[in-house]
Amino acid sequence: MERELALELVRITEAAALASARWMGRGDKELADQLAVDAMRAGFDRVAIDGVVVIGEGEMDEAPMLYIGEQVGAGGIPVDVAVDPVEGTNLVAKGLNGAIAVVAVAPRGHLLHAPDMYMEKIAVGPRAKGCIDITAPITANLKWVAQAKGKDISDLTVVILDRERHRSLIQECRDAGARIKLISDGDVAPAVAAAIDETGVDILMGIGGAPEGVLAAAALKCLGGDMQARLKPQNEQEYARCKAMGLSDPEQVLTLDDLVKSEDVYFSATGITDGDLLRGVRYSGRNVATTHSIALRGTTGTVRFIEATHMLDRKPHWYRLKV
């Protein structure tokens, strides 16, 4: 795929972040999400790809835009597209840290078409690649990651979604002596942060959304990190969807290569609210905003952090960039 695509994807996530950020802390997660969806969808119209959404806002009858199976782009390279215009809608609505706008792109057929269900995940950075086993005890994984990073377990920071289903996981990490950062929503950014030393995050563990798992895997593929996952279907319908994907054992271990089959993958995320990985949108004047983004390219391993200043037109309600 063309190297220019990396910057084009950044423009798309910037647009979504700018559209959503105006509604930070205003309690309306649906509107914050819809504005981001509108902006992201419009952004794809200017990108030279023949894209099919494989991770999106839901099925065709659930989402009017960026639905699974929708074709996006202005024509060009055939690709799979994974999107989450606002990863952490509750975070935006409540003005909490960690919300991002995110896009991943890979050649057609190379992203797992993950159904909207739970997925168990463990994600680490390059220094701990090959040192995780989702079927092994939690303490063993912590020990292996600590050894790989030249740390004691007590030096590790583990990010876990603060959910009742994670009570035993949290207790095991505490008993092992690891430090824990509990998050209320949004596990894509922490998974990516685990692959960047400066964030202070060492490992992501727990059960979250399967679509978010594929987005995180795309970033980890670019960064040289590692991830293992298992789908966690909750009913017969979800089991049937897994089997329709070709998974004879719906809870089989999925490696990073199962989730993202190509090195030729692109990932872009822009902060909406502040987090370990990215700063949120900042306003320095009535019509001026600053965004902070990360752009990743798998074939070269290039990591770009991009800070951009945007001149905004506040009519209509969402953003318009002045080129």
Side-chain angles (χ1 to χ4, degrees), residues 264-287:
D264 191 14
V265 58
Y266 291 78
F267 176 92
S268 174
T270 300
I272 301 173
T273 61
D274 288 344
D276 291 323
L277 180 66
L278 297 166
R279 297 188 301 276
V281 175
R282 307 285 174 86
Y283 297 97
S284 56
R286 178 174 295 177
N287 294 309

Side-chain angles (χ1 to χ4, degrees), residues 82 103-106 111 192 212-223 227 256 259-260 262 265-267 296 298:
V103 169
V105 170
L111 293 180
V192 181
E212 290 81 1
V214 176
L215 282 162
L220 290 165
K221 191 88 167 187
C222 295
L223 291 164
M227 182 174 178
L256 188 60
L259 298 165
V260 181
S262 173
V265 58
Y266 291 78
F267 176 92
L296 308 174

Side-chain angles (χ1 to χ4, degrees), residues 119-122 159-161 166 169 187 204-208:
M119 174 185 277
E120 182 183 2
K121 314 165 194 178
I122 179 169
V159 176
I160 304 171
L161 278 166
H166 291 150
L169 169 60
D187 63 356
L204 171 87
M205 287 182 165
I207 298 171

